[in-house]
Amino acid sequence: MTTLRATILAFIALTLTACGFTPMHAPAGLSDAAFNNVRIELAAGIPVQDKEAAFWVQQALKTRLGNGDSAKHILRVKPEANRAGIGISGVDVATRYDLGLNVSYELIDMKSGKLLDSGSVKAISTIAASTDPYALTAAEKATVRNLASDGADRVLVRLAGYYANAAQ
């Protein structure tokens, strides 16, 4: 009976690999040729307070797209982070903060310098304001990193839309 099960499982495994089956949550789609042709750049003039967010957005995009060694297009991003106190307590101190990241992007053809696509995406998260300043700083840094990842994903969705329409 065990040999029969092993044979059936082996047959199923071989059949699924031969049919082109890929797991639902497998990282797919971003290895397409269009995305391999993109080099990531940070826009000039990013203010000091936005440099950390810019670094994380750039890293998230490079993780998803690669280094763009044979790039035909430049993706120029300009992240802008902001923080707003919400939920003011009785002693006029914020109990929560809204952290936002606005990522403006431009897709540029390397040869002609022509602007192919541009836009802006926004990611927002709320954190609790700790009374410990170190805990608040750690929470802000972790949230900025998560927002950068979310912002990068939102830019890639927009680029996927651009490439899908450009191919038609």
Side-chain angles (χ1 to χ4, degrees), residues 37-52:
N37 291 328
V38 178
R39 186 177 76 200
I40 313 302
E41 284 184 3
L42 292 176
I46 295 176
V48 172
Q49 66 268 21
D50 296 332
K51 292 224 183 240
E52 182 180 6

Side-chain angles (χ1 to χ4, degrees), residues 41-47 50-51 54 76-80 104 106:
E41 284 184 3
L42 292 176
I46 295 176
D50 296 332
K51 292 224 183 240
R76 190 168 295 140
V77 293
K78 184 176 184 180
E80 296 174 26
S104 303
E106 296 177 333

Side-chain angles (χ1 to χ4, degrees), residues 73-144:
H73 300 146
I74 298 170
L75 177 64
R76 190 168 295 140
V77 293
K78 184 176 184 180
E80 296 174 26
N82 55 54
R83 179 178 97 162
I86 59 174
I88 307 299
S89 71
V91 291
D92 205 25
V93 175
T95 57
R96 292 187 322 269
Y97 288 100
D98 260 352
L99 297 176
L101 183 67
N102 187 38
V103 182
S104 303
Y105 68 92
E106 296 177 333
L107 185 65
I108 301 164
D109 185 79
M110 282 182 79
K111 286 184 181 177
S112 67
K114 178 183 171 190
L115 180 66
L116 303 173
D117 190 31
S118 66
S120 180
V121 296
K122 189 174 267 190
I124 299 173
S125 184
T126 301
I127 60 170
S130 173
T131 55
D132 180 8
Y134 297 110
L136 180 59
T137 301
E140 281 184 8
K141 289 190 176 298
T143 303
V144 165

Side-chain angles (χ1 to χ4, degrees), residues 36 38-39 66-71:
N36 289 336
V38 178
R39 186 177 76 200
N67 291 326
D69 297 329
S70 61

